[in-house]
Amino acid sequence: MKEQPVSYRNVMLFRIRQASNLGGPSLKVLTQALELHVATSKLAAFAEVVERCAVGELTSDLETLVSPLIDGQYLHLWGTSLQFQTRTALLIILEEILVRREYHFRSLSPAPTVIDAGANIGLASYYMHRSCNAKRLICFEPNPATFAVLAANAEAGKWPAELHCGALAGANGEASFTLSNESPLAAALDPRSIQKDSKEILVRTMRLRPFLLDQPIGLLKIDIEGAEAEVLEDCEGSLDLVENIFCEVHPIPGHSPSLLLRVLGVLERAGFMVHVSRSPWSELAHRTRPLTHANRIYSLSIFATRIMHNTR
C-alpha cells in the first residue's frame, strides 16, 4: 500500500493528539506510546479508534488501540509488518516494549550494537532499531517455530540482524527445551510451570561470552526464562564493553542462592549501577498487604547501566 506524504501524517497525528487529550490520562499515555510506530497507511483507522475511545464508545485499552493495526496474524508498524503467533502473547510484549519501553537505552555510540537474547518474534529488535538507532542486532531464539517468525520479520523489516537459533547457556552443546504452542512466551530450558500442551525438544545451546569480546555493546537484553544467572556468571569477566543490561529474572523455588542474588552479584562485581523492579503483574498482586504475597512467584526486571549520564 502506497504511503501518504509527510503533510498527511502530520495532519493525522494532530487529529490523534487532540482526541487523546480529551480522553483522559490512560488513553493519552497509550496513544503517545503507539503513535510513532503506526504506519502512515494505518493512521486514519488508528485516529478513528482513538476518537471513539475519547468519547467512550470504545474501551481505552491496548487491545482496542492496536486493533486497527492488526490484519490476521500481522501487526502493521512503521516500515514493516510483523508476523505474530498468538494475540495474547502479542499484547504482553507490546505492553512491555512499546508502551513501557523497557528496552529503551542510551549509548555513547551513535549506531550501537544490541544483543537480544530471547528475541521472540523480533518486536524488541524492531523497537531498538527504530527508536534507539541500533545498527547491528545479534538475536538468539531457541524455539524453532518462533525463530522462523523472527527470521521472516527480520527479512521483511530489512533489519541489520544476525540470527541464531539456539538457547543461551553456560556451555555449548544441546539441551532439552520445553515449549508450548498456546503459551509461546513460556518456553524455557528450566520451565517454572508446565502448560497443558507442553512438549520437550532438543535444542542447541550457546555461550554468550564469545559475542562480548571484540565489540562495544549498547544494550545486552536477556529474557531467557530461568537461565539468566548461569549465562551471566559464564561471561562475568567479559562485560567490560557492555554499556547497558536489561535482564528479566525468573525466580525458581528451592534454588539457593537465588537467581536474583546471583545476577545482582555479577552486575555489582562488573561495575554496573542497578535498579530492580517488579513486573506490572506482580505490582497488581502486591499492591495491598504485600507481605501476604511475598511467596508468589513473579518475574523481576533488572535495569543496569555503567553510563553515568544515562538519566532519561
Side-chain angles (χ1 to χ4, degrees):
M1 183 179 294
K2 185 177 180 180
E3 290 287 307
Q4 299 290 337
V6 173
S7 57
Y8 169 83
R9 184 173 183 88
N10 290 338
V11 168
M12 295 304 299
L13 289 175
F14 179 75
R15 174 184 163 189
I16 290 165
R17 289 164 187 169
Q18 277 193 313
S20 68
N21 286 335
L22 298 174
S26 61
L27 177 61
K28 187 173 182 179
V29 167
L30 287 172
T31 301
Q32 288 178 337
L34 294 173
E35 64 180 20
L36 294 180
H37 300 284
V38 178
T40 304
S41 59
K42 296 291 183 180
L43 275 175
F46 182 70
E48 181 180 352
V49 168
V50 174
E51 288 168 344
R52 293 180 66 188
C53 288
V55 298
E57 290 184 10
L58 296 173
T59 304
S60 301
D61 59 18
L62 179 60
E63 184 171 11
T64 300
L65 286 172
V66 300
S67 60
L69 313 183
I70 295 176
D71 290 327
Q73 292 297 115
Y74 287 87
L75 172 70
H76 299 283
L77 296 176
W78 180 267
T80 189
S81 294
L82 294 184
Q83 183 181 347
F84 62 90
Q85 292 170 294
T86 70
R87 186 172 289 229
T88 299
L90 176 66
L91 290 171
I92 291 173
I93 58 178
L94 280 171
E95 170 77 22
E96 293 174 348
I97 298 168
L98 296 192
V99 177
R100 298 204 308 271
R101 290 171 275 194
E102 288 191 343
Y103 309 140
H104 194 90
F105 69 96
R106 297 178 65 189
S107 172
L108 297 176
S109 169
T113 294
V114 166
I115 294 179
D116 186 355
N120 197 257
I121 63 170
L123 184 62
S125 291
Y126 155 81
Y127 178 87
M128 291 182 284
H129 179 51
R130 167 151 172 73
S131 298
C132 303
N133 203 40
K135 294 304 183 185
R136 187 185 180 201
L137 302 161
I138 305 172
C139 303
F140 299 88
E141 173 53 49
N143 185 337
T146 305
F147 180 83
V149 176
L150 168 65
N153 288 340
E155 182 177 2
K158 297 181 173 59
W159 305 334
E162 174 187 323
L163 307 181
H164 299 272
C165 188
L168 288 183
N172 295 326
E174 292 182 328
S176 179
F177 186 77
T178 303
L179 54 82
S180 163
N181 291 328
E182 289 189 5
S183 303
L185 299 181
L189 289 175
D190 192 352
R192 292 160 294 159
S193 61
I194 303 297
Q195 308 298 316
K196 62 182 180 180
D197 70 333
S198 294
K199 64 178 181 180
E200 291 189 358
I201 62 172
L202 199 63
V203 299
R204 174 190 182 195
T205 61
M206 306 174 64
R207 296 177 69 194
L208 173 63
R209 187 173 181 273
F211 296 88
L212 303 175
L213 299 178
D214 60 354
Q215 60 186 326
I217 303 296
L219 173 67
L220 168 58
K221 172 234 169 187
I222 302 177
D223 184 0
I224 52 177
E225 307 295 323
E228 52 274 1
E230 174 187 345
V231 168
L232 282 171
E233 286 170 344
D234 181 57
C235 59
E236 178 172 341
S238 306
L239 296 172
D240 292 348
L241 297 180
V242 179
E243 294 178 301
N244 303 280
I245 295 176
F246 171 91
C247 181
E248 188 167 278
V249 176
H250 302 80
I252 298 175
H255 281 222
S256 182
S258 72
L259 294 182
L260 176 62
L261 290 180
R262 290 168 63 189
V263 169
L264 290 178
V266 171
L267 296 179
E268 181 180 15
R269 291 188 294 272
F272 285 91
M273 299 176 64
V274 175
H275 171 73
V276 180
S277 173
R278 292 188 300 225
S279 70
W281 337 113
S282 174
E283 290 292 347
L284 289 174
H286 291 80
R287 183 167 295 171
T288 61
R289 297 181 297 170
L291 280 176
T292 65
H293 301 288
N295 64 330
R296 299 179 67 174
I297 299 171
Y298 287 96
S299 60
L300 299 166
S301 297
I302 297 178
F303 305 88
T305 183
R306 62 169 79 255
I307 304 175
M308 299 305 294
H309 66 262
N310 192 350
T311 57
R312 185 170 63 185

